Amino acid sequence: MATIIIDGAKHEVETDQNLLQACQTLGLDVPYFCWHPAMGSVGSCRQCAVTLFKDAEDKQGRLTMSCMTPVTDGQILALNNPDIIKFRDMQIEALMINHPHDCPVCEEGGECHLQDMTLMSGHVKRRFRGPKQTHVNQYLGPFIGHEMNRCIACYRCVRYYRDYSGGTDFDVFASRNNVYFGRAEDGDLENEFSGNLVEVCPTGVFTDKTYSQHYVRKWDLQSAPSICTQCSLGCNTFPAERNGILRRITNRYHPDINGYFLCDRGRFGYDFVNHSERLTQPWQRNTEQRSTDKITTQQAQQRLRELAKSSSVLAVGSARTSLENNFALRQLVGKDNFYADCSQQVLRQIQVLSQCHQYGLLPSSSLQTLESSDTALLIGEDITQTAPRIALSLRQMTGNAGKQKAAEMGIAAWQDAEVRNICQQLKSPLHIISSHATRLDDAAVNTLCLSPAQQVTLINEIDALLNNSIDAGVASRQARNIVKDLQTAKQPILVTGVHTDSEALLRATIQLGQTLYRLNSRTGFICALPQANSMGLALLTATEHNLDTALKKIEKSPPKTLILLETDLYRYCSEQLLEPLLNNIENIVVLDHLLTPTAQSADLLLPTTSFAEMHGSWVNYEGRVQAATSCFPAPDERRPGHLWFNAETDFHSLLIEVADCEAQLKSLPSLFTPQSEGFHLARQTIRATGRAAVKAVTNVREQQPQQDPDSPYQYSPEGAATLPEQPPAYLWHPNWNSNESLNRFQEEINGPIRGSHPGILLHEKASVVPSTDTTQPGYLLQDSSKPIAEGKLQLLADYNIFRDEELSSYVSAIQQRTPQAAIKMNLQQVKQSHCEGADKLKIKAPAGSCILPLYIDDSVPDGVALVPTNLLQQLGSVVQLERAE
């Protein structure tokens, strides 16, 4: 700690930061543009100037940039003396010379960092009357709007896109004082994290196009702390609503998960909530008239109870909905009749992983741990496509070698330009073992493209080398190189997933992780899962109660009633196999948001609430239970699943019931705070306007906001903006209207938001003694897959961030970024399959067939072909190919 004096007051601050960070942590107003807590300092905007005095006798002082000045004990500085105020005013006036001053029509208006800093700097009068320099804007894809004339050349965008997220199709182009930030030519921004430009930019240069389609000012938005439900990471978000329409998603800082940034699917994939085919009212099928009849909520509830009590019932839960909804369905039908909506292979892998963490054999790590590691091994997973935020953290991990070298030279990590100049091409080792080339290959020191069986062999070889059970002389060069880096690392980490559908590969990776963990207790481990609540659903489901087993049971002895909770079976099964099974069931009950193919086959269809319209909890990949709070109330016809299953049990009683029934979830009620008699939190800012005017077309009288007894938040601007014991519903602070106001809600820069719950880690400590049974996790399992017959290929999933998540695939902007479905093979494999010169191939499998365009990808190993994920799930993994006629 150091003692510094600011404007005559003494403060205790940390020494490993700069003066700007120290001032922000203390809650003092110092303007800035180019500095960002995740990207460090470059000192280009000159806005954060302060006066630094040599000692107490020095009355003159010298002007210094606080973002470039390290904290040292005994420093004396002034923030707002006349010289500094004048300097900031002159500097921002120069930055604003070519700015169009178009605040009334700019989408950033009301939450603009430039507005805030302009007022803070004292620049309130425009003097320049000459012609302004103008630019032609670019088309940057369906996500990002571009208005280059608003740019103040802070360089944040290019530093983020190129240096932080590794994008290569965006840069700065300059000639003298003509500076342009964009692409070499119009086109989609290719990076999977491009949407963060909207929040990184301190002006309105980059805007959210999806928000533009239903834009309202920030002060009219209603928000609440929530969770992204589009992958297994559980990134924290602020969904924002106005007049029943979900308008946008912004990042909510969590130091152990998403930090300051979201992926593009999580940021832009929300519009399914507003979809035209969103279910709005219950209906049931009239078989006599061959039609569907709308029914009341009460009629639907009664009909569901009758069907659930039938002599034969089978229910399928969902890995994309909350713990509470799944638990309520299980309670309704009984454990023996409750099944998960994932295959036997996937559910078994998840439960192997969960037991491994529970036994304490190999703890799971956070993304913060990943970013602080110094060597990583990525196994069998195209992580950029399946769990994108992990990929961004892996990319940050590769920069730690340069930071370490800079630290040895006395240069702090926040001195961004100096660190990059020192490290040049120096990287912390990232080794990738995959079935094809990935978007992370440019950050890796080595990428090996192998079939799953070959991957298992290599992992076993690495493990044997670490255990000294084989001689290094007989090991492969690739294994020796990886082992060398793992052994020299101070904090190695393994990253994998279950998307390869190979239990042998997961078990081999776990075994390798345990070996590393035994040799180095700082070893980390991360395993990405298929959906937002895959881990949570696995906690509630027996291993044998998977979707494969459920379908076999339906085929053998069809139940009278089938209840499907927020899952589309046609994503997992071909129409050829599924329709005969469903036709044999007398009553099909479907609960969902949208009119999916499965919902169209329902005899009783019940509309459910989206993640933004309900309270609930999700368990992420590391076993962290997190709470999501309703952003806005749903119409009466839509209900969360648990209310359809049991309308008499309120939400908090349900939480207690879950805690009583599931020992691992005994702390679940602590995530949620019910509304009390005291002062409540507002979901809208105190600046919110026009509540009565929005409804004036139907009733001039102001409408009474709906009450929310299950949370401390109000559906209105009435109430406190913040309470110390509760996370804020939005980011806004006097003088800080933009998302930069985050620093006013943190205990310190890069620290958690005050009042926020970090989540409940289910597997923090070993609670069970490991068994000696070799079927338990922690024991090496060789690849037991059957040999592939001659003339056939093994299909593997070609995952894509914009194609594979169910709900976001309904969003127009996401669909525009979805690549064309194709089959990918290397050229030699194409020749061996006698398909050379073919444009399209026909895939033949027992479950059906399809025709796909052929794409040559020489990174794909022999004996393997890549196809879109949904086709792999529907057709199976071993197929035969032929030319399409």
Side-chain angles (χ1 to χ4, degrees):
M1 297 292 288
T3 300
I4 62 175
I5 299 174
I6 304 176
D7 292 331
K10 288 185 178 181
H11 300 277
E12 295 287 328
V13 296
E14 298 288 344
T15 56
D16 60 345
Q17 58 184 336
N18 57 53
L19 285 176
L20 176 59
Q21 288 177 276
C23 291
Q24 296 296 330
T25 298
L26 293 170
L28 303 174
D29 288 338
V30 178
Y32 63 89
F33 288 120
C34 64
W35 175 79
H36 189 280
M39 296 185 288
S41 306
V42 292
S44 68
C45 73
R46 322 305 286 173
Q47 268 299 291
C48 64
V50 297
T51 301
L52 186 63
F53 299 95
K54 184 178 180 180
D55 51 39
E57 303 300 321
D58 182 7
K59 303 302 181 184
Q60 184 69 28
R62 63 181 176 87
L63 184 146
T64 187
M65 300 304 121
S66 59
C67 76
M68 300 298 291
T69 307
V71 167
T72 58
D73 192 47
Q75 281 176 318
I76 303 174
L77 59 147
L79 303 185
N80 294 302
N81 62 6
D83 289 343
I84 288 298
I85 292 175
K86 182 178 180 180
F87 175 84
R88 292 175 185 161
D89 184 14
M90 293 171 57
Q91 189 65 26
I92 201 167
E93 186 176 20
L95 293 175
M96 294 280 285
I97 280 178
N98 290 309
H99 194 276
H101 293 79
D102 59 344
C103 301
V105 297
C106 176
E107 290 186 14
E108 202 75 358
E111 57 177 331
C112 177
H113 188 57
L114 177 61
Q115 287 178 332
D116 292 344
M117 299 301 99
T118 302
L119 293 173
M120 194 177 294
S121 300
H123 174 63
V124 295
K125 184 178 180 182
R126 175 185 173 188
R127 295 187 296 166
F128 181 71
R129 292 294 181 265
K132 292 180 178 288
Q133 189 179 71
T134 59
H135 303 275
V136 176
N137 300 320
Q138 288 185 315
Y139 171 79
L140 299 178
F143 298 150
I144 306 295
H146 191 225
E147 180 50 73
M148 185 59 207
N149 296 316
R150 297 170 183 153
C151 182
I152 59 170
C154 71
Y155 282 80
R156 264 192 181 193
C157 58
V158 71
R159 290 177 59 218
Y160 163 74
Y161 194 91
R162 185 184 64 192
D163 299 337
Y164 192 92
S165 65
T168 57
D169 60 324
F170 181 94
D171 215 325
V172 55
F173 306 91
S175 175
R176 299 179 65 183
N177 68 335
N178 187 3
V179 182
Y180 191 91
F181 296 88
R183 289 171 52 91
E185 58 184 6
D186 286 14
D188 294 352
L189 287 172
E190 297 172 0
N191 191 273
E192 293 81 4
F193 307 93
S194 63
N196 294 300
L197 290 172
V198 177
E199 290 192 38
V200 164
C201 179
T203 72
V205 176
F206 302 100
T207 56
D208 180 344
K209 274 190 177 179
T210 65
Y211 182 33
S212 303
Q213 295 171 1
H214 35 229
Y215 177 79
V216 295
R217 293 296 185 189
K218 177 181 179 179
W219 56 74
D220 283 327
L221 292 173
Q222 181 166 250
S223 189
S226 189
I227 304 297
C228 178
T229 60
Q230 296 187 16
C231 82
S232 63
L233 266 71
C235 294
N236 288 204
T237 62
F238 284 118
E241 173 266 359
R242 171 69 166 169
N243 201 27
I245 299 172
L246 186 60
R247 309 283 176 156
R248 69 174 181 182
I249 296 288
T250 52
N251 186 68
R252 179 165 65 99
Y253 183 84
H254 192 300
D256 291 322
I257 307 177
N258 47 294
Y260 295 93
F261 304 118
L262 297 174
C263 75
D264 284 355
R265 184 171 70 190
R267 183 179 296 276
F268 301 115
Y270 65 88
D271 212 28
F272 67 87
V273 177
N274 311 315
H275 199 278
S276 59
E277 293 189 356
R278 185 75 194 277
L279 299 177
T280 58
Q281 189 169 350
W283 56 260
Q284 66 180 357
R285 192 176 302 279
N286 189 324
T287 54
E288 294 181 358
Q289 300 182 7
R290 296 184 179 180
S291 63
T292 56
D293 299 330
K294 293 182 179 179
I295 56 177
T296 65
T297 301
Q298 292 73 24
Q299 289 172 328
Q301 191 97 47
Q302 181 62 34
R303 180 59 177 158
L304 175 60
R305 288 178 181 173
E306 293 172 358
L307 294 176
K309 293 178 180 179
S310 64
S311 56
S312 175
V313 61
L314 188 149
V316 178
S318 171
R320 66 167 160 90
T321 193
S322 69
L323 270 173
E324 293 77 14
N325 290 343
N326 280 299
F327 177 83
L329 175 57
R330 195 187 72 174
Q331 292 295 93
L332 179 69
V333 301
K335 286 185 178 182
D336 293 340
N337 299 316
F338 180 77
Y339 292 77
D341 66 341
C342 52
S343 69
Q344 178 180 359
Q345 187 75 269
V346 170
L347 183 59
R348 183 171 172 83
Q349 288 183 80
I350 295 171
Q351 294 189 331
V352 163
L353 184 71
S354 178
Q355 291 169 10
C356 177
H357 298 330
Q358 183 180 354
Y359 292 156
L361 299 173
L362 184 60
S364 186
S365 304
S366 67
L367 295 195
Q368 187 179 62
T369 300
L370 171 57
E371 293 188 8
S372 63
S373 299
D374 56 357
T375 295
L377 175 58
L378 174 58
I379 300 172
E381 191 83 357
D382 189 354
I383 204 72
T384 308
Q385 310 302 327
T386 60
R389 191 59 186 76
I390 296 178
L392 189 61
S393 292
L394 274 168
R395 193 173 289 277
Q396 307 322 305
M397 184 282 306
T398 63
N400 288 337
K403 293 178 182 178
Q404 178 61 34
K405 182 178 179 180
E408 292 170 357
M409 301 172 65
I411 297 174
W414 52 262
Q415 294 177 298
D416 187 62
E418 291 83 352
V419 171
R420 293 187 183 279
N421 186 48
I422 289 169
C423 71
Q424 297 296 319
Q425 300 302 313
L426 179 63
K427 294 179 180 179
S428 293
L430 166 61
H431 295 273
I432 299 178
I433 301 173
S434 179
S435 58
H436 58 282
T438 75
R439 298 274 289 177
L440 270 177
D441 290 353
D442 65 299
V445 297
N446 187 29
T447 299
L448 300 173
C449 295
L450 307 169
S451 69
Q454 292 171 328
Q455 292 178 36
V456 172
T457 300
L458 179 58
I459 298 304
N460 288 346
E461 188 177 13
I462 294 170
D463 183 71
L465 280 173
L466 288 170
N467 280 310
N468 295 317
S469 58
I470 64 170
D471 186 81
V474 300
S476 65
R477 178 176 54 85
Q478 295 93 334
R480 292 197 306 269
N481 290 339
I482 293 172
V483 168
K484 178 183 176 182
D485 285 334
L486 291 175
Q487 286 178 326
T488 57
K490 295 180 179 178
Q491 188 177 325
I493 191 166
L494 300 184
V495 180
T496 188
V498 301
H499 294 85
T500 55
D501 216 22
S502 171
E503 183 180 342
L505 182 58
L506 178 63
R507 285 184 179 270
T509 303
I510 289 174
Q511 176 65 49
L512 174 59
Q514 291 172 1
T515 299
L516 272 174
Y517 189 60
R518 188 181 69 250
L519 298 173
N520 183 347
S521 61
R522 298 186 68 192
T523 296
F525 181 81
I526 287 176
C527 182
L529 303 180
Q531 296 193 64
N533 212 9
S534 292
M535 182 72 79
L537 182 60
L539 290 175
L540 301 177
T541 314
T543 306
E544 63 275 10
H545 281 211
N546 52 72
L547 185 57
D548 293 336
T549 306
L551 294 176
K552 290 177 182 177
K553 187 174 182 180
I554 292 172
E555 182 179 16
K556 184 178 180 180
S557 177
K560 184 175 181 181
T561 299
L562 173 65
I563 303 176
L564 301 171
L565 172 62
E566 296 187 28
T567 190
D568 182 7
L569 295 184
Y570 285 92
R571 291 181 62 85
Y572 307 104
C573 306
S574 66
E575 183 177 334
Q576 178 181 338
L577 290 178
L578 186 59
E579 287 203 348
L581 300 182
L582 297 183
N583 289 337
N584 290 329
I585 299 174
E586 183 177 337
N587 299 297
I588 300 176
V589 181
V590 177
L591 298 90
D592 215 329
H593 313 321
L594 300 169
L595 192 61
T596 65
T598 298
Q600 293 175 23
S601 65
D603 297 298
L604 176 64
L605 185 60
L606 308 178
T608 57
T609 50
S610 69
F611 74 99
E613 302 163 291
M614 70 174 187
H615 306 304
S617 57
W618 279 258
V619 186
N620 79 345
Y621 73 93
E622 60 175 325
R624 186 188 298 265
V625 190
Q626 297 187 98
T629 303
S630 165
C631 170
F632 61 103
D636 292 339
E637 293 79 12
R638 295 180 195 154
R639 293 185 175 188
H642 66 84
L643 279 182
W644 281 117
F645 302 135
N646 190 346
E648 286 72 36
T649 302
D650 64 77
F651 183 68
H652 281 276
S653 298
L654 177 62
L655 292 176
I656 294 171
E657 189 176 352
V658 175
D660 290 341
C661 293
E662 299 294 328
Q664 291 189 73
L665 299 172
K666 61 183 179 181
S667 300
L668 183 63
S670 67
L671 285 176
F672 298 89
T673 306
Q675 204 168 92
S676 64
E677 296 298 324
F679 209 50
H680 303 146
L681 279 162
R683 282 180 168 90
Q684 294 175 271
T685 73
I686 59 173
R687 306 175 299 164
T689 61
R691 203 172 63 193
V694 169
K695 305 289 185 180
V697 66
T698 56
N699 192 336
V700 177
R701 183 179 180 182
E702 183 171 344
Q703 304 297 308
Q704 175 70 29
Q706 186 169 327
Q707 296 300 304
D708 181 14
D710 296 323
S711 84
Y713 300 92
Q714 296 271 52
Y715 290 116
S716 75
E718 287 84 21
T722 60
L723 290 175
E725 66 277 8
Q726 294 294 336
Y730 50 82
L731 295 181
W732 176 85
H733 193 273
N735 300 325
W736 295 82
N737 297 277
S738 74
N739 63 329
E740 299 292 323
S741 61
L742 172 64
N743 65 72
R744 293 301 187 264
F745 295 88
Q746 295 171 293
E747 296 291 347
E748 59 182 355
I749 301 300
N750 297 323
I753 295 175
R754 284 190 294 270
S756 62
H757 200 299
I760 301 167
L761 286 172
L762 299 179
H763 309 124
E764 277 191 295
K765 297 179 181 179
S767 57
V768 181
V769 177
S771 167
T772 56
D773 182 359
T774 56
T775 63
Q776 294 289 354
Y779 295 89
L780 188 62
L781 179 70
Q782 300 294 333
D783 192 354
S784 58
S785 59
K786 297 179 181 179
I788 298 172
E790 185 177 354
K792 294 192 176 183
L793 284 174
Q794 181 180 14
L795 285 191
L796 295 180
D798 182 20
Y799 284 92
N800 183 269
I801 179 177
F802 300 123
R803 181 176 55 208
D804 296 327
E805 199 279 325
E806 180 182 348
L807 295 178
S808 63
S809 66
Y810 285 87
V811 177
S812 173
I814 297 292
Q815 291 171 353
Q816 294 177 53
R817 290 295 309 276
T818 302
Q820 180 186 18
I823 182 169
K824 299 179 181 179
M825 293 190 295
N826 67 49
L827 181 58
Q828 186 62 33
Q829 187 65 58
V830 172
K831 292 178 180 179
Q832 291 178 3
S833 302
H834 307 291
C835 298
E836 188 175 9
D839 294 327
K840 295 181 179 180
L841 297 181
K842 184 175 184 178
I843 305 175
K844 298 176 67 176
S849 63
C850 68
I851 295 176
L852 289 177
L854 173 62
Y855 179 82
I856 303 298
D857 183 348
D858 284 331
S859 72
V860 179
D862 294 338
V864 168
L866 303 181
V867 296
T869 314
N870 62 322
L871 285 178
L872 177 65
Q873 292 171 332
Q874 294 171 5
L875 298 179
S877 61
V878 180
V879 299
Q880 190 169 2
L881 298 181
E882 62 182 39
R883 289 171 175 267
E885 297 296 334

